[in-house]
Amino acid sequence: MIDADTIKRIPRFADLTPQARDMLCRHASVRTYEQGMPIFIEGDPCEFLYVVLEGEVRIAKLLESGREVIMDFIWPGESFGEVALMDGDGFPANATAKQPTRVILLPRDIYLRMLKECPEVARSIIRDLLLRMRALSGRVEVLSEAGVRSRIAHLLLAYARDFGVEGDGGRMLPIRLSRNEIAAMVGARVETVIRIMSQWHKDDILHTVERGFLISDASGLEAIVADED
Amino acid sequence: MIDADTIKRIPRFADLTPQARDMLCRHASVRTYEQGMPIFIEGDPCEFLYVVLEGEVRIAKLLESGREVIMDFIWPGESFGEVALMDGDGFPANATAKQPTRVILLPRDIYLRMLKECPEVARSIIRDLLLRMRALSGRVEVLSEAGVRSRIAHLLLAYARDFGVEGDGGRMLPIRLSRNEIAAMVGARVETVIRIMSQWHKDDILHTVERGFLISDASGLEAIVADED
DNA sequence: CGCTGTCTTGAACGTCTTCAACCATAGTGG
DNA sequence: CCACTATGGTTGAAGACGTTCAAGACAGCG
């Protein structure tokens, strides 16, 4: 049971009919996870749809080779777990709270019922899936770039397009990513990522700052993506 | 205008209500593309949902660096173009007929209307998107493998899981992929792909045959994915 | 204080790309 | 009919690039 205000603040659920919202409120619950805590593990049976209220969730998969691949980050307002919900299989990946995180848990049967009964819910789910697909396509593109240099540049430029804000000294990218995380996103080793980004720092192309990155020379980054054939 | 039988043979549309099917028949049309012909180009405005009846479609994207990335192959019964349909942007990638191909064209406004009016259509779209997401996640996994060897092995094993059939001499993978295509899927050069696959041929691990590949030693391939840390 | 995690640097090694060449096949036009 | 072209497959050698391993700096935290 959660209150209607919480629901209304989520864009995804903002335009639900009153009865749909009511159903959601009655059956959904909220849960908090401490930083670093697992939300679910790959293979777990999927019982809920998860909607992030606050914090940040990291969806990652451990390959058989022992390599960890970060599939996506989920930020407030976004949901995760749909894929497993629909086909009833276990989760295809792990989800962990990257920060202290509050999520809404919507039981599977309620989700499926709302999907059947409320057309707007179905539409909002489709929109959500499309967003996720765009993100995944972006990841495929990034990973398809030739060198690690291009991959990192492509990754950061893509984020900058979506979330960057103009600030003094260049475009500010308010997303904190450790070198390890970047490595896990571009399919490279930490050391390589560090070497490349140190060089960028020296060349005044990109700097790691308090709460993200500062892109001083976007065209420099773009040139790296384009050149490295 | 197309006939109802054509629609009924497509699993995706098999359980439509009669009136939904009728609407679809009245407004959809069929078009054929010769081998190698473009179906749409990146950036084109998106006017239709495409459903493949026969043939094979290749969805690819040309990166700024000049590298071509194959995002997906679409086989009979599957649809493509949804992503662009929903948000009204241009297509995010190119689609070309890899073989002589027949597709159903469903105009955008009809698609959106059916989506709104028929819950089953919405459900089928969601199921479709989920499949596509699985495919994309798989691509991310493949591209995240360490060496090119692992990436190719992972790619072929994933296909083998979904489409492989047991035959004499091993598991038959009835999917024709040129070395060039494999290269464009795993993010490597043709020469590298050739060298690796020639070695596998000599080692009796995997052979290129008439209409696809024959995996003689699946555990050998799996070992390659797991080992190459 | 020692621990753990992130960031960092260096040097050696191995993989993949690059470039250049070659073969086979199929389709095209003179 | 043959030369010509395009496409797909193939091989070799040189060099660039990324990984690996080993080591150290630094911060936050029990």
Side-chain angles (χ1 to χ4, degrees), chain A residues 10-27:
Chain A
I10 303 169
R12 234 199 104 132
F13 293 134
D15 51 352
L16 285 186
T17 58
Q19 64 263 37
R21 181 157 50 228
D22 197 50
M23 175 149 120
L24 210 159
C25 286
R26 270 206 315 279
H27 295 96

PDB file of all heavy atoms in Angstrom, chain A residues 10-27:
ATOM      1  N   ILE A  10       5.352  10.138 -10.526  1.00  0.00           N
ATOM      2  CA  ILE A  10       6.082   9.363 -11.525  1.00  0.00           C
ATOM      3  C   ILE A  10       5.472   9.600 -12.904  1.00  0.00           C
ATOM      4  O   ILE A  10       4.318   9.239 -13.140  1.00  0.00           O
ATOM      5  CB  ILE A  10       6.016   7.863 -11.201  1.00  0.00           C
ATOM      6  CG1 ILE A  10       6.570   7.625  -9.808  1.00  0.00           C
ATOM      7  CG2 ILE A  10       6.771   7.044 -12.244  1.00  0.00           C
ATOM      8  CD1 ILE A  10       6.307   6.238  -9.296  1.00  0.00           C
ATOM      9  N   PRO A  11       6.223  10.191 -13.802  1.00  0.00           N
ATOM     10  CA  PRO A  11       5.683  10.546 -15.131  1.00  0.00           C
ATOM     11  C   PRO A  11       4.965   9.369 -15.778  1.00  0.00           C
ATOM     12  O   PRO A  11       3.875   9.521 -16.338  1.00  0.00           O
ATOM     13  CB  PRO A  11       6.944  10.916 -15.919  1.00  0.00           C
ATOM     14  CG  PRO A  11       7.943  11.345 -14.912  1.00  0.00           C
ATOM     15  CD  PRO A  11       7.647  10.565 -13.671  1.00  0.00           C
ATOM     16  N   ARG A  12       5.581   8.223 -15.687  1.00  0.00           N
ATOM     17  CA  ARG A  12       5.040   6.986 -16.229  1.00  0.00           C
ATOM     18  C   ARG A  12       3.617   6.707 -15.814  1.00  0.00           C
ATOM     19  O   ARG A  12       2.852   6.074 -16.525  1.00  0.00           O
ATOM     20  CB  ARG A  12       5.888   5.882 -15.614  1.00  0.00           C
ATOM     21  CG  ARG A  12       6.506   4.973 -16.551  1.00  0.00           C
ATOM     22  CD  ARG A  12       6.866   3.742 -15.786  1.00  0.00           C
ATOM     23  NE  ARG A  12       5.899   2.773 -16.151  1.00  0.00           N
ATOM     24  CZ  ARG A  12       6.208   1.550 -16.516  1.00  0.00           C
ATOM     25  NH1 ARG A  12       7.439   1.181 -16.526  1.00  0.00           N
ATOM     26  NH2 ARG A  12       5.271   0.723 -16.856  1.00  0.00           N
ATOM     27  N   PHE A  13       3.296   7.066 -14.569  1.00  0.00           N
ATOM     28  CA  PHE A  13       1.987   6.732 -14.026  1.00  0.00           C
ATOM     29  C   PHE A  13       1.106   7.970 -13.877  1.00  0.00           C
ATOM     30  O   PHE A  13      -0.004   7.897 -13.356  1.00  0.00           O
ATOM     31  CB  PHE A  13       2.124   6.068 -12.655  1.00  0.00           C
ATOM     32  CG  PHE A  13       2.780   4.713 -12.709  1.00  0.00           C
ATOM     33  CD1 PHE A  13       3.783   4.380 -11.816  1.00  0.00           C
ATOM     34  CD2 PHE A  13       2.385   3.776 -13.652  1.00  0.00           C
ATOM     35  CE1 PHE A  13       4.389   3.128 -11.865  1.00  0.00           C
ATOM     36  CE2 PHE A  13       2.985   2.521 -13.710  1.00  0.00           C
ATOM     37  CZ  PHE A  13       3.992   2.198 -12.810  1.00  0.00           C
ATOM     38  N   ALA A  14       1.606   9.106 -14.335  1.00  0.00           N
ATOM     39  CA  ALA A  14       0.915  10.368 -14.083  1.00  0.00           C
ATOM     40  C   ALA A  14      -0.478  10.397 -14.698  1.00  0.00           C
ATOM     41  O   ALA A  14      -1.420  10.886 -14.095  1.00  0.00           O
ATOM     42  CB  ALA A  14       1.738  11.540 -14.611  1.00  0.00           C
ATOM     43  N   ASP A  15      -0.605   9.818 -15.902  1.00  0.00           N
ATOM     44  CA  ASP A  15      -1.896   9.935 -16.567  1.00  0.00           C
ATOM     45  C   ASP A  15      -2.721   8.646 -16.489  1.00  0.00           C
ATOM     46  O   ASP A  15      -3.447   8.309 -17.419  1.00  0.00           O
ATOM     47  CB  ASP A  15      -1.704  10.388 -18.016  1.00  0.00           C
ATOM     48  CG  ASP A  15      -0.683   9.520 -18.737  1.00  0.00           C
ATOM     49  OD1 ASP A  15      -0.053   8.692 -18.064  1.00  0.00           O
ATOM     50  OD2 ASP A  15      -0.524   9.684 -19.960  1.00  0.00           O
ATOM     51  N   LEU A  16      -2.620   7.953 -15.380  1.00  0.00           N
ATOM     52  CA  LEU A  16      -3.469   6.781 -15.178  1.00  0.00           C
ATOM     53  C   LEU A  16      -4.881   7.227 -14.832  1.00  0.00           C
ATOM     54  O   LEU A  16      -5.079   8.301 -14.269  1.00  0.00           O
ATOM     55  CB  LEU A  16      -2.935   5.931 -14.021  1.00  0.00           C
ATOM     56  CG  LEU A  16      -1.689   5.086 -14.273  1.00  0.00           C
ATOM     57  CD1 LEU A  16      -1.420   4.215 -13.053  1.00  0.00           C
ATOM     58  CD2 LEU A  16      -1.879   4.229 -15.506  1.00  0.00           C
ATOM     59  N   THR A  17      -5.851   6.375 -15.140  1.00  0.00           N
ATOM     60  CA  THR A  17      -7.203   6.655 -14.678  1.00  0.00           C
ATOM     61  C   THR A  17      -7.232   6.482 -13.159  1.00  0.00           C
ATOM     62  O   THR A  17      -6.422   5.740 -12.613  1.00  0.00           O
ATOM     63  CB  THR A  17      -8.206   5.673 -15.299  1.00  0.00           C
ATOM     64  OG1 THR A  17      -7.795   4.360 -14.942  1.00  0.00           O
ATOM     65  CG2 THR A  17      -8.238   5.785 -16.810  1.00  0.00           C
ATOM     66  N   PRO A  18      -8.157   7.160 -12.496  1.00  0.00           N
ATOM     67  CA  PRO A  18      -8.222   7.061 -11.031  1.00  0.00           C
ATOM     68  C   PRO A  18      -8.302   5.615 -10.536  1.00  0.00           C
ATOM     69  O   PRO A  18      -7.625   5.248  -9.585  1.00  0.00           O
ATOM     70  CB  PRO A  18      -9.498   7.824 -10.694  1.00  0.00           C
ATOM     71  CG  PRO A  18      -9.634   8.810 -11.813  1.00  0.00           C
ATOM     72  CD  PRO A  18      -9.113   8.129 -13.032  1.00  0.00           C
ATOM     73  N   GLN A  19      -9.100   4.795 -11.212  1.00  0.00           N
ATOM     74  CA  GLN A  19      -9.224   3.425 -10.697  1.00  0.00           C
ATOM     75  C   GLN A  19      -7.952   2.611 -10.907  1.00  0.00           C
ATOM     76  O   GLN A  19      -7.596   1.787 -10.074  1.00  0.00           O
ATOM     77  CB  GLN A  19     -10.449   2.699 -11.286  1.00  0.00           C
ATOM     78  CG  GLN A  19     -10.416   2.465 -12.776  1.00  0.00           C
ATOM     79  CD  GLN A  19     -11.193   3.535 -13.524  1.00  0.00           C
ATOM     80  OE1 GLN A  19     -11.165   4.718 -13.140  1.00  0.00           O
ATOM     81  NE2 GLN A  19     -11.874   3.152 -14.589  1.00  0.00           N
ATOM     82  N   ALA A  20      -7.266   2.885 -12.008  1.00  0.00           N
ATOM     83  CA  ALA A  20      -6.001   2.187 -12.228  1.00  0.00           C
ATOM     84  C   ALA A  20      -4.997   2.606 -11.156  1.00  0.00           C
ATOM     85  O   ALA A  20      -4.298   1.778 -10.579  1.00  0.00           O
ATOM     86  CB  ALA A  20      -5.448   2.515 -13.615  1.00  0.00           C
ATOM     87  N   ARG A  21      -4.967   3.898 -10.896  1.00  0.00           N
ATOM     88  CA  ARG A  21      -4.038   4.401  -9.881  1.00  0.00           C
ATOM     89  C   ARG A  21      -4.379   3.808  -8.524  1.00  0.00           C
ATOM     90  O   ARG A  21      -3.505   3.446  -7.742  1.00  0.00           O
ATOM     91  CB  ARG A  21      -4.107   5.929  -9.831  1.00  0.00           C
ATOM     92  CG  ARG A  21      -3.153   6.516  -8.822  1.00  0.00           C
ATOM     93  CD  ARG A  21      -2.810   7.948  -9.126  1.00  0.00           C
ATOM     94  NE  ARG A  21      -3.993   8.745  -9.366  1.00  0.00           N
ATOM     95  CZ  ARG A  21      -4.141   9.579 -10.393  1.00  0.00           C
ATOM     96  NH1 ARG A  21      -3.178   9.701 -11.281  1.00  0.00           N
ATOM     97  NH2 ARG A  21      -5.244  10.270 -10.547  1.00  0.00           N
ATOM     98  N   ASP A  22      -5.654   3.662  -8.292  1.00  0.00           N
ATOM     99  CA  ASP A  22      -6.111   3.122  -7.022  1.00  0.00           C
ATOM    100  C   ASP A  22      -5.646   1.678  -6.860  1.00  0.00           C
ATOM    101  O   ASP A  22      -5.128   1.277  -5.823  1.00  0.00           O
ATOM    102  CB  ASP A  22      -7.638   3.182  -6.989  1.00  0.00           C
ATOM    103  CG  ASP A  22      -8.153   3.036  -5.580  1.00  0.00           C
ATOM    104  OD1 ASP A  22      -7.648   3.771  -4.712  1.00  0.00           O
ATOM    105  OD2 ASP A  22      -9.018   2.164  -5.359  1.00  0.00           O
ATOM    106  N   MET A  23      -5.811   0.923  -7.920  1.00  0.00           N
ATOM    107  CA  MET A  23      -5.391  -0.477  -7.909  1.00  0.00           C
ATOM    108  C   MET A  23      -3.899  -0.568  -7.636  1.00  0.00           C
ATOM    109  O   MET A  23      -3.429  -1.378  -6.846  1.00  0.00           O
ATOM    110  CB  MET A  23      -5.722  -1.092  -9.273  1.00  0.00           C
ATOM    111  CG  MET A  23      -5.242  -2.498  -9.465  1.00  0.00           C
ATOM    112  SD  MET A  23      -6.375  -3.362 -10.574  1.00  0.00           S
ATOM    113  CE  MET A  23      -5.311  -3.815 -11.899  1.00  0.00           C
ATOM    114  N   LEU A  24      -3.181   0.324  -8.286  1.00  0.00           N
ATOM    115  CA  LEU A  24      -1.734   0.332  -8.127  1.00  0.00           C
ATOM    116  C   LEU A  24      -1.359   0.631  -6.674  1.00  0.00           C
ATOM    117  O   LEU A  24      -0.538  -0.063  -6.064  1.00  0.00           O
ATOM    118  CB  LEU A  24      -1.161   1.402  -9.051  1.00  0.00           C
ATOM    119  CG  LEU A  24       0.238   1.184  -9.617  1.00  0.00           C
ATOM    120  CD1 LEU A  24       0.439   2.018 -10.865  1.00  0.00           C
ATOM    121  CD2 LEU A  24       1.275   1.531  -8.592  1.00  0.00           C
ATOM    122  N   CYS A  25      -2.019   1.650  -6.124  1.00  0.00           N
ATOM    123  CA  CYS A  25      -1.712   2.034  -4.750  1.00  0.00           C
ATOM    124  C   CYS A  25      -1.979   0.896  -3.776  1.00  0.00           C
ATOM    125  O   CYS A  25      -1.204   0.653  -2.850  1.00  0.00           O
ATOM    126  CB  CYS A  25      -2.551   3.244  -4.328  1.00  0.00           C
ATOM    127  SG  CYS A  25      -1.994   4.780  -5.069  1.00  0.00           S
ATOM    128  N   ARG A  26      -3.083   0.222  -3.981  1.00  0.00           N
ATOM    129  CA  ARG A  26      -3.470  -0.823  -3.031  1.00  0.00           C
ATOM    130  C   ARG A  26      -2.507  -2.007  -3.038  1.00  0.00           C
ATOM    131  O   ARG A  26      -2.272  -2.626  -2.024  1.00  0.00           O
ATOM    132  CB  ARG A  26      -4.893  -1.306  -3.342  1.00  0.00           C
ATOM    133  CG  ARG A  26      -5.977  -0.528  -2.597  1.00  0.00           C
ATOM    134  CD  ARG A  26      -7.227  -1.376  -2.404  1.00  0.00           C
ATOM    135  NE  ARG A  26      -7.595  -2.080  -3.626  1.00  0.00           N
ATOM    136  CZ  ARG A  26      -8.270  -1.490  -4.635  1.00  0.00           C
ATOM    137  NH1 ARG A  26      -8.627  -0.236  -4.551  1.00  0.00           N
ATOM    138  NH2 ARG A  26      -8.568  -2.183  -5.713  1.00  0.00           N
ATOM    139  N   HIS A  27      -1.985  -2.341  -4.221  1.00  0.00           N
ATOM    140  CA  HIS A  27      -1.187  -3.570  -4.304  1.00  0.00           C
ATOM    141  C   HIS A  27       0.311  -3.368  -4.348  1.00  0.00           C
ATOM    142  O   HIS A  27       1.068  -4.306  -4.142  1.00  0.00           O
ATOM    143  CB  HIS A  27      -1.622  -4.381  -5.534  1.00  0.00           C
ATOM    144  CG  HIS A  27      -3.023  -4.867  -5.442  1.00  0.00           C
ATOM    145  ND1 HIS A  27      -4.073  -4.173  -6.014  1.00  0.00           N
ATOM    146  CD2 HIS A  27      -3.565  -5.948  -4.843  1.00  0.00           C
ATOM    147  CE1 HIS A  27      -5.203  -4.822  -5.779  1.00  0.00           C
ATOM    148  NE2 HIS A  27      -4.923  -5.904  -5.054  1.00  0.00           N
TER     149      HIS A  27
END
